[in-house]
Short mmCIF file of all heavy atoms in Angstrom, two decimals:
data_model
loop_
_atom_site.label_atom_id
_atom_site.label_comp_id
_atom_site.label_asym_id
_atom_site.label_seq_id
_atom_site.Cartn_x
_atom_site.Cartn_y
_atom_site.Cartn_z
N PRO A 392 -10.97 -16.45 5.18
CA PRO A 392 -10.77 -17.27 6.39
C PRO A 392 -12.00 -17.24 7.31
O PRO A 392 -12.29 -18.26 7.95
CB PRO A 392 -9.56 -16.62 7.09
CG PRO A 392 -9.36 -15.32 6.42
CD PRO A 392 -9.94 -15.42 5.05
N LEU A 393 -12.68 -16.10 7.37
CA LEU A 393 -13.86 -16.01 8.25
C LEU A 393 -14.95 -16.95 7.75
O LEU A 393 -15.59 -17.64 8.53
CB LEU A 393 -14.36 -14.58 8.33
CG LEU A 393 -13.50 -13.60 9.08
CD1 LEU A 393 -14.19 -12.25 9.18
CD2 LEU A 393 -13.18 -14.09 10.47
N THR A 394 -15.17 -16.93 6.45
CA THR A 394 -16.22 -17.77 5.90
C THR A 394 -15.91 -19.23 6.15
O THR A 394 -16.74 -20.02 6.54
CB THR A 394 -16.40 -17.52 4.39
OG1 THR A 394 -16.49 -16.12 4.19
CG2 THR A 394 -17.64 -18.19 3.85
N ARG A 395 -14.64 -19.55 5.93
CA ARG A 395 -14.23 -20.94 6.12
C ARG A 395 -14.50 -21.36 7.56
O ARG A 395 -15.08 -22.40 7.84
CB ARG A 395 -12.75 -21.12 5.79
CG ARG A 395 -12.42 -22.57 5.48
CD ARG A 395 -10.98 -22.78 4.99
NE ARG A 395 -10.41 -21.63 4.34
CZ ARG A 395 -9.35 -20.99 4.80
NH1 ARG A 395 -8.77 -21.37 5.91
NH2 ARG A 395 -8.83 -19.97 4.13
N ALA A 396 -14.14 -20.47 8.51
CA ALA A 396 -14.32 -20.79 9.92
C ALA A 396 -15.82 -20.87 10.24
O ALA A 396 -16.26 -21.79 10.95
CB ALA A 396 -13.65 -19.74 10.78
N ALA A 397 -16.59 -19.95 9.72
CA ALA A 397 -18.01 -19.90 10.06
C ALA A 397 -18.74 -21.10 9.47
O ALA A 397 -19.78 -21.54 10.01
CB ALA A 397 -18.62 -18.61 9.57
N ARG A 398 -18.19 -21.65 8.40
CA ARG A 398 -18.86 -22.78 7.74
C ARG A 398 -18.59 -24.10 8.45
O ARG A 398 -19.23 -25.12 8.14
CB ARG A 398 -18.35 -22.90 6.29
CG ARG A 398 -19.01 -21.94 5.37
CD ARG A 398 -19.46 -22.65 4.09
NE ARG A 398 -19.97 -21.69 3.14
CZ ARG A 398 -19.29 -21.27 2.10
NH1 ARG A 398 -18.08 -21.75 1.86
NH2 ARG A 398 -19.80 -20.38 1.28
N THR A 399 -17.58 -24.11 9.33
CA THR A 399 -17.21 -25.37 10.01
C THR A 399 -18.47 -26.07 10.48
O THR A 399 -19.33 -25.47 11.10
CB THR A 399 -16.34 -25.07 11.24
OG1 THR A 399 -15.46 -24.01 10.93
CG2 THR A 399 -15.59 -26.27 11.71
N THR A 400 -18.57 -27.33 10.18
CA THR A 400 -19.74 -28.08 10.68
C THR A 400 -19.56 -28.37 12.15
O THR A 400 -18.44 -28.38 12.67
CB THR A 400 -19.89 -29.41 9.93
OG1 THR A 400 -18.73 -30.18 10.17
CG2 THR A 400 -20.07 -29.20 8.43
N VAL A 401 -20.67 -28.59 12.83
CA VAL A 401 -20.61 -28.89 14.27
C VAL A 401 -19.70 -30.11 14.45
O VAL A 401 -18.87 -30.13 15.35
CB VAL A 401 -22.02 -29.21 14.78
CG1 VAL A 401 -21.97 -29.54 16.25
CG2 VAL A 401 -22.94 -28.02 14.53
N ARG A 402 -19.87 -31.04 13.58
CA ARG A 402 -19.11 -32.28 13.71
C ARG A 402 -17.60 -31.99 13.68
O ARG A 402 -16.86 -32.38 14.57
CB ARG A 402 -19.50 -33.20 12.51
CG ARG A 402 -18.83 -34.51 12.49
CD ARG A 402 -19.33 -35.34 13.65
NE ARG A 402 -18.33 -36.23 14.13
CZ ARG A 402 -18.43 -37.58 14.05
NH1 ARG A 402 -19.50 -38.12 13.54
NH2 ARG A 402 -17.48 -38.32 14.52
N ALA A 403 -17.16 -31.25 12.68
CA ALA A 403 -15.75 -30.92 12.55
C ALA A 403 -15.26 -30.10 13.72
O ALA A 403 -14.18 -30.31 14.23
CB ALA A 403 -15.51 -30.18 11.24
N ALA A 404 -16.13 -29.17 14.16
CA ALA A 404 -15.73 -28.28 15.25
C ALA A 404 -15.55 -29.05 16.54
O ALA A 404 -14.62 -28.83 17.30
CB ALA A 404 -16.76 -27.18 15.41
N LEU A 405 -16.47 -30.01 16.78
CA LEU A 405 -16.40 -30.75 18.05
C LEU A 405 -15.23 -31.73 18.05
O LEU A 405 -14.68 -32.06 19.08
CB LEU A 405 -17.73 -31.46 18.32
CG LEU A 405 -18.91 -30.52 18.59
CD1 LEU A 405 -20.16 -31.30 18.88
CD2 LEU A 405 -18.62 -29.55 19.71
N ASP A 406 -14.86 -32.18 16.85
CA ASP A 406 -13.71 -33.09 16.74
C ASP A 406 -12.39 -32.33 16.88
O ASP A 406 -11.34 -32.94 17.10
CB ASP A 406 -13.70 -33.78 15.36
CG ASP A 406 -14.75 -34.88 15.32
OD1 ASP A 406 -15.28 -35.21 16.39
OD2 ASP A 406 -15.01 -35.40 14.22
N HIS A 407 -12.45 -30.99 16.67
CA HIS A 407 -11.22 -30.17 16.61
C HIS A 407 -10.46 -30.23 17.94
O HIS A 407 -11.03 -30.12 18.98
CB HIS A 407 -11.63 -28.74 16.30
CG HIS A 407 -10.48 -27.85 16.03
ND1 HIS A 407 -9.81 -27.82 14.84
CD2 HIS A 407 -9.84 -26.93 16.81
CE1 HIS A 407 -8.84 -26.93 14.89
NE2 HIS A 407 -8.85 -26.37 16.08
N ARG A 408 -9.15 -30.39 17.79
CA ARG A 408 -8.35 -30.51 19.02
C ARG A 408 -7.37 -29.36 19.18
O ARG A 408 -6.50 -29.40 20.03
CB ARG A 408 -7.57 -31.81 18.99
CG ARG A 408 -8.40 -33.05 19.19
CD ARG A 408 -8.79 -33.23 20.66
NE ARG A 408 -9.69 -34.35 20.80
CZ ARG A 408 -11.01 -34.24 20.71
NH1 ARG A 408 -11.56 -33.08 20.43
NH2 ARG A 408 -11.76 -35.30 20.84
N GLY A 409 -7.50 -28.32 18.35
CA GLY A 409 -6.61 -27.15 18.52
C GLY A 409 -5.35 -27.25 17.71
O GLY A 409 -4.78 -26.29 17.30
N THR A 410 -4.89 -28.49 17.42
CA THR A 410 -3.71 -28.62 16.55
C THR A 410 -4.11 -29.50 15.40
O THR A 410 -5.04 -30.28 15.48
CB THR A 410 -2.52 -29.27 17.26
OG1 THR A 410 -3.00 -30.44 17.88
CG2 THR A 410 -1.88 -28.35 18.25
N THR A 411 -3.39 -29.33 14.34
CA THR A 411 -3.64 -30.13 13.16
C THR A 411 -2.60 -31.18 13.10
O THR A 411 -1.44 -30.91 13.49
CB THR A 411 -3.57 -29.22 11.91
OG1 THR A 411 -4.19 -28.00 12.24
CG2 THR A 411 -4.23 -29.82 10.73
N PRO A 412 -2.93 -32.36 12.65
CA PRO A 412 -1.87 -33.38 12.57
C PRO A 412 -0.79 -32.92 11.62
O PRO A 412 -1.02 -32.13 10.70
CB PRO A 412 -2.61 -34.59 12.02
CG PRO A 412 -3.93 -34.09 11.50
CD PRO A 412 -4.22 -32.85 12.24
N PRO A 413 0.41 -33.43 11.85
CA PRO A 413 1.55 -32.99 10.99
C PRO A 413 1.25 -33.25 9.53
O PRO A 413 0.62 -34.23 9.17
CB PRO A 413 2.72 -33.87 11.46
CG PRO A 413 2.19 -34.73 12.53
CD PRO A 413 0.82 -34.36 12.87
N ALA A 414 1.72 -32.31 8.71
CA ALA A 414 1.47 -32.41 7.28
C ALA A 414 2.32 -33.54 6.68
O ALA A 414 2.01 -34.08 5.64
CB ALA A 414 1.80 -31.10 6.58
N THR A 415 3.37 -33.84 7.38
CA THR A 415 4.24 -34.90 6.85
C THR A 415 4.59 -35.86 7.97
O THR A 415 4.63 -35.47 9.12
CB THR A 415 5.55 -34.29 6.27
OG1 THR A 415 6.42 -35.38 5.98
CG2 THR A 415 6.23 -33.35 7.22
N THR A 416 4.79 -37.08 7.61
CA THR A 416 5.16 -38.04 8.64
C THR A 416 6.67 -38.20 8.70
O THR A 416 7.21 -38.74 9.63
CB THR A 416 4.53 -39.41 8.36
OG1 THR A 416 4.62 -39.66 6.96
CG2 THR A 416 3.06 -39.46 8.78
N ARG A 417 7.33 -37.62 7.66
CA ARG A 417 8.77 -37.74 7.64
C ARG A 417 9.40 -36.64 8.47
O ARG A 417 9.14 -35.46 8.23
CB ARG A 417 9.30 -37.67 6.21
CG ARG A 417 10.17 -38.87 5.94
CD ARG A 417 10.70 -38.96 4.55
NE ARG A 417 10.10 -38.01 3.63
CZ ARG A 417 10.86 -37.28 2.82
NH1 ARG A 417 12.15 -37.37 2.85
NH2 ARG A 417 10.29 -36.47 1.97
N ALA A 418 10.14 -36.97 9.44
CA ALA A 418 10.74 -35.95 10.29
C ALA A 418 11.93 -35.30 9.58
O ALA A 418 12.62 -35.94 8.81
CB ALA A 418 11.20 -36.57 11.60
N VAL A 419 12.08 -34.03 9.83
CA VAL A 419 13.21 -33.31 9.27
C VAL A 419 14.41 -33.54 10.21
O VAL A 419 14.27 -33.50 11.40
CB VAL A 419 12.92 -31.81 9.19
CG1 VAL A 419 14.07 -31.10 8.51
CG2 VAL A 419 11.64 -31.59 8.46
#
Side-chain angles (χ1 to χ4, degrees):
Chain A
L393 289 185
T394 311
R395 200 174 334 117
R398 281 227 185 103
T399 321
T400 61
V401 179
R402 181 68 212 245
L405 294 181
D406 284 349
H407 187 79
R408 288 284 175 272
T410 49
T411 319
T415 171
T416 41
R417 233 176 351 131
V419 184

